[in-house]
């Protein structure tokens, strides 16, 4: 796999000096056209061996390009804040928006490779990490991103020679550390792992380009020309082809029976019992979240449901039992311009809390398979692939010891109409009812079908849906509090084993 990158590629200085001005001008023009169009982001990963010119390549790209539209991220050892979240969180929050270029020196490949070479993980764990990387890149490219991955390679002899040359020069001596030499001693292990990683993650949508890194002239021109050609080709494509959908969309049950129709929406709780149960479970939630064991987990409670199903009231019954310093509520509405410039899940990844915190999403990432699907705000390909992307997202959260509690609040069509009319009559509730709510009601059957598909495809063992019969608000509130307390208890018990 690395044979072509060990042939001794070289560009003489005269040729380099002649080529660079034209290349720089063309790169700047492409960069300006990219910024003007704002059609897609460019994500550049720079990986490879120590001494192969990774840092020099990044510095050169920043020198050649307009700094307003390119940003470099040196992804070194994760900080305590980053370790409190899933590994991909630190990369998600640094993704470039449409029209800009993000350069990653160190990426989602770096630490899985290092951990495998140093023996901290097994081959199976590396394989799992690579599958997650492929899922991320597939999702980013499906969202329109252009991903360019460069691997800087050196033969063992040339790596040693390069490190010695850098060490001998007073101007570059500081760049060679004990870590570089310790990695050099593991060259053969690194090479084997690198080859495995490149083989498994060089995909059609995000292939690796292996570059021999010994000669800086060859390395710089190669990387620059590939970036230019890729950006220009994407810009010049009049129409970016959307992903074709070959599978048929989900169909309603042929006997008209579904999970929502099977719910008993007539369940109620009397006022006296409600008060006693509310005090009991709010007190329990308060004590659970104040335990020392709670500091080792994270909780995300997510609320979806019919319009006027009582999400806001249920959320208030939860937060009144919590210390305001340790929870956060994220109300999800139509995406802002900033959010539309990023991949769909970015707006949710950015709000993942640290350990010992509880975050409540008032509506969530399921908007893509609900309102966006029904209202036609995204393509069929987008919402159909969203099921697997959401399951992958939640799996990453759970893998990091995050408790994901998902509630769907269901009410009958008749109950919704009664609540809509009540909201229009009562002054302090009028803000809760809009023309959009009435329009959504006209598509009741379409939303019901979408909800059933959503539950069938995303209610997993690790992040199941809890369906809440919400015709009686008090019954719904107690069931939500009970479920939340139970899931927190189970998580704390597992974590203490």
């Amino acid at each position: 796999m690395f044979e072509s990158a060990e042939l001794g590629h070289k560009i003489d200085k005269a040729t380099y000096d002649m080529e660079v001005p034209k290349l720089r001008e063309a790169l700047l023009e492409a960069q300006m056209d990219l910024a003007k169009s704002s059609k897609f982001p460019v994500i550049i990963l720079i990986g490879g061996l120590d001494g192969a010119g990774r840092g020099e390549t990044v510095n050169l790209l920043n020198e050649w390009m307009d700094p307003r539209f390119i940003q470099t991220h040196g992804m070194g050892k994760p900080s305590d804040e980053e370790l409190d979240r899933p590994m991909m969180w630190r990369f998600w929050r640094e993704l470039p928006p449409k029209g800009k270029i993000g350069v990653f020196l160190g990426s989602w490949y770096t630490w899985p490779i290092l951990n495998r070479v140093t023996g901290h993980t097994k081959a199976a764990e590396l394989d799992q990490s690579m599958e997650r990387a492929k899922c991320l890149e597939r999702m980013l490219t499906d969202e329109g991103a252009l991903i360019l991955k460069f691997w800087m390679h050196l033969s063992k002899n040339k790596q040693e020679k390069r490190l010695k040359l850098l060490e001998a020069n007073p101007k570059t001596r500081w760049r060679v550390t004990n870590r570089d030499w310790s990695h050099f001693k593991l060259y053969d292990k690194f090479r084997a792992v690198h080859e495995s990683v490149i083989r498994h993650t060089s995909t059609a949508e995000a292939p690796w380009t292996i570059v021999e890194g010994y000669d800086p002239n060859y390395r710089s021109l190669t990387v620059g020309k590939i970036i230019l050609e890729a950006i220009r080709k994407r810009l010049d494509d009049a129409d970016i082809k959307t992903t074709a959908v070959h599978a048929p969309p989900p169909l309603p049950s042929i006997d008209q029976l579904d999970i929502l129709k099977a719910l008993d929406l007539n369940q109620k709780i009397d006022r006296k019992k409600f008060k006693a149960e509310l005090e009991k479970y709010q007190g329990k939630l308060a004590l659970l979240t104040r335990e020392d064991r709670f500091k080792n987990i994270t909780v995300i409670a997510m609320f979806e449901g019919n319009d006027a199903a009582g999400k806001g009231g249920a959320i208030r019954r939860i937060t009144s039992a919590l210390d305001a310093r340790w929870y956060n509520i994220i109300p999800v509405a139509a995406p802002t311009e900033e959010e539309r410039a990023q991949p769909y899940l970015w707006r949710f990844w950015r709000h993942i809390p640290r350990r010992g915190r509880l975050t409540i999403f008032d509506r969530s990432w399921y908007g893509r398979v609900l309102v966006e699907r029904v209202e036609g705000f995204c393509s069929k390909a987008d919402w159909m692939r969203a099921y697997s992307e959401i399951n992958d997202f939640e799996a990453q959260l759970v893998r990091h010891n995050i408790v994901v509690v998902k509630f769907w609040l269901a009410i009958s069509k008749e109950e919704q109409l009664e609540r809509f009319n009540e909201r229009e009559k009562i002054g302090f509730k009028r803000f809760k009812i809009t023309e959009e709510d009435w329009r959504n009601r006209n598509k009741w059957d379409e939303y019901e079908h979408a909800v059933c598909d959503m539950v069938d495809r995303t209610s997993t063992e690790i992040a199941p849906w809890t369906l809440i019969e919400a015709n009686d608000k008090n019954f719904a509130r107690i069931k939500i509090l009970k479920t939340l307390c139970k899931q927190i208890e189970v998580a704390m018990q597992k974590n203490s084993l």
Side-chain angles (χ1 to χ4, degrees):
M1 183 166 285
F2 295 117
E3 286 84 356
S4 292
E6 295 181 354
L7 295 176
H9 292 283
K10 191 174 183 181
I11 296 292
D12 62 80
K13 187 176 184 303
T15 302
Y16 179 79
D17 289 343
M18 181 178 66
E19 292 282 339
V20 164
K22 294 183 292 184
L23 178 59
R24 291 183 66 173
E25 182 179 356
L27 277 169
L28 281 169
E29 287 179 359
Q31 191 184 15
M32 293 301 106
D33 290 344
L34 172 67
K36 186 177 180 180
S37 72
S38 292
K39 287 182 178 178
F40 59 92
V42 179
I43 300 167
I44 300 174
L45 308 187
I46 306 291
L49 289 166
D50 298 325
R54 293 172 300 166
E56 293 164 86
T57 300
V58 171
N59 290 338
L60 201 62
L61 290 176
N62 281 290
E63 179 185 334
W64 285 357
M65 294 181 144
D66 190 319
R68 293 174 298 172
F69 307 114
I70 186 171
Q71 190 167 8
T72 297
H73 307 284
M75 310 302 286
K77 187 176 180 180
S79 66
D80 289 342
E81 180 187 23
E82 291 167 338
L83 289 171
D84 263 356
R85 274 102 168 179
M87 185 192 76
M88 291 299 186
W89 178 80
R90 64 197 299 241
F91 302 107
W92 270 94
R93 67 175 186 162
E94 304 294 359
L95 289 176
K98 292 176 182 176
K100 294 192 177 182
I101 300 171
V103 182
F104 289 83
L105 181 56
S107 67
W108 37 88
Y109 294 100
T110 305
W111 290 98
I113 288 173
L114 283 173
N115 287 335
R116 178 65 192 124
V117 171
T118 55
H120 290 100
T121 55
K122 296 180 180 179
E125 292 171 280
L126 176 65
D127 291 343
Q128 291 170 2
S129 295
M130 295 307 98
E131 285 302 313
R132 289 193 286 272
K134 283 161 57 177
C135 286
L136 171 64
E137 291 171 2
R138 188 182 307 115
M139 188 277 300
L140 292 175
T141 54
D142 283 343
E143 292 276 339
L146 173 61
I147 300 179
L148 302 173
K149 303 189 299 192
F150 295 97
W151 192 268
M152 307 302 180
H153 179 72
L154 291 171
S155 66
K156 190 172 185 178
N157 290 337
K158 285 190 174 178
Q159 185 184 32
E160 182 179 24
K161 186 176 179 181
R162 172 85 169 151
L163 291 174
K164 286 181 177 179
L165 283 172
L166 291 170
E167 202 171 45
N169 187 338
K171 294 182 179 180
T172 58
R173 188 177 297 154
W174 58 273
R175 289 166 51 187
V176 182
T177 65
N178 291 333
R179 175 182 172 275
D180 295 322
W181 284 114
S182 65
H183 283 183
F184 173 72
K185 293 177 182 178
L186 297 170
Y187 180 92
D188 293 334
K189 287 186 177 181
F190 270 108
R191 183 184 173 111
V193 173
H194 290 167
E195 184 171 316
S196 175
V197 167
I198 292 170
R199 185 172 69 252
H200 286 100
T201 62
S202 193
T203 60
E205 60 269 9
W208 282 102
T209 298
I210 302 174
V211 181
E212 186 169 1
Y214 190 76
D215 179 63
N217 294 345
Y218 170 81
R219 180 183 67 226
S220 302
L221 283 180
T222 299
V223 172
K225 287 184 175 183
I226 290 172
I227 292 173
L228 171 63
E229 183 179 358
I231 295 176
R232 182 52 65 194
K233 185 177 186 304
R234 174 65 72 84
L235 285 169
D236 292 343
D237 284 344
D239 297 306
I240 298 175
K241 294 180 180 178
T242 56
T243 305
V245 180
H246 301 292
L251 296 175
S253 174
I254 61 173
D255 64 357
Q256 304 305 310
L257 181 63
D258 59 47
I259 53 170
L260 293 183
K261 290 185 175 72
L263 293 175
D264 180 4
L265 298 180
N266 295 318
Q267 296 182 77
K268 294 183 178 181
I269 186 172
D270 65 61
R271 187 71 181 169
K272 184 177 180 181
K273 185 177 180 182
F274 168 71
K275 287 184 177 180
E277 295 274 272
L278 182 67
E279 182 179 353
K280 174 183 175 181
Y281 287 104
Q282 282 185 328
K284 187 172 185 177
L285 181 62
L287 292 174
L288 285 172
T289 55
R290 285 163 174 78
E291 280 194 41
D292 286 340
R293 292 184 300 168
F294 187 78
K295 296 175 183 177
N296 296 318
I297 66 170
T298 309
V299 178
I300 292 177
M302 185 271 292
F303 287 81
E304 292 281 1
N306 298 116
D307 294 329
K311 295 182 293 297
I315 289 170
R316 285 193 295 275
R317 269 58 182 191
I318 292 173
T319 56
S320 61
L322 302 174
D323 187 324
R325 295 171 297 176
W326 309 119
Y327 75 83
N328 193 20
I329 300 174
I330 309 297
V332 176
T336 64
E337 288 299 320
E338 179 189 22
E339 291 167 341
R340 275 195 286 266
Q342 294 282 1
Y344 176 72
L345 287 173
W346 178 84
R347 65 197 296 230
F348 307 107
W349 269 103
R350 68 197 299 212
H351 293 299
I352 300 303
R354 301 189 69 163
R355 293 193 192 279
R357 306 290 202 279
L358 188 152
T359 291
I360 297 171
F361 284 88
D362 185 355
R363 299 207 181 272
S364 69
W365 42 93
Y366 284 95
R368 172 137 292 187
V369 297
L370 294 173
V371 65
E372 291 193 22
R373 168 186 170 172
V374 175
E375 302 297 335
F377 295 153
C378 69
S379 69
K380 184 168 74 171
D382 287 336
W383 65 258
M384 284 189 69
R385 65 179 167 83
Y387 295 119
S388 62
E389 291 173 359
I390 287 169
N391 285 337
D392 179 65
F393 170 48
E394 292 175 353
Q396 291 185 62
L397 300 181
V398 173
R399 193 180 300 115
H400 198 72
N401 225 20
I402 296 176
V403 184
V404 180
V405 191
K406 305 186 301 193
F407 297 109
W408 175 266
L409 277 67
I411 56 175
S412 66
K413 197 172 183 180
E414 295 73 24
E415 178 66 21
Q416 186 188 63
L417 179 60
E418 186 176 327
R419 293 185 188 183
F420 276 13
N421 289 331
E422 181 186 66
R423 286 180 174 185
E424 287 194 329
K425 292 175 184 176
I426 300 175
F428 64 83
K429 287 189 176 183
R430 272 188 205 135
F431 77 95
K432 291 184 175 184
I433 186 76
T434 65
E435 287 299 321
E436 185 178 343
D437 295 324
W438 287 106
R439 285 197 303 271
N440 290 347
R441 179 174 166 79
N442 291 332
K443 296 183 178 180
W444 180 275
D445 292 340
E446 294 172 67
Y447 273 103
E448 188 173 79
H449 180 202
V451 172
C452 292
D453 289 342
M454 173 192 75
V455 175
D456 285 344
R457 290 167 180 250
T458 62
S459 191
T460 61
E461 181 182 358
I462 60 172
W465 277 99
T466 299
L467 305 181
I468 304 296
E469 302 86 345
N471 268 11
D472 182 72
K473 292 182 180 180
N474 290 341
F475 176 86
R477 290 163 184 171
I478 296 304
K479 184 173 179 178
I480 287 167
L481 283 166
K482 278 184 180 180
T483 303
L484 186 57
C485 287
K486 182 179 179 181
Q487 294 208 29
I488 292 174
E489 272 187 311
V490 170
M492 291 197 304
Q493 287 170 2
K494 284 182 180 178
N495 196 60
S496 60
L497 292 178

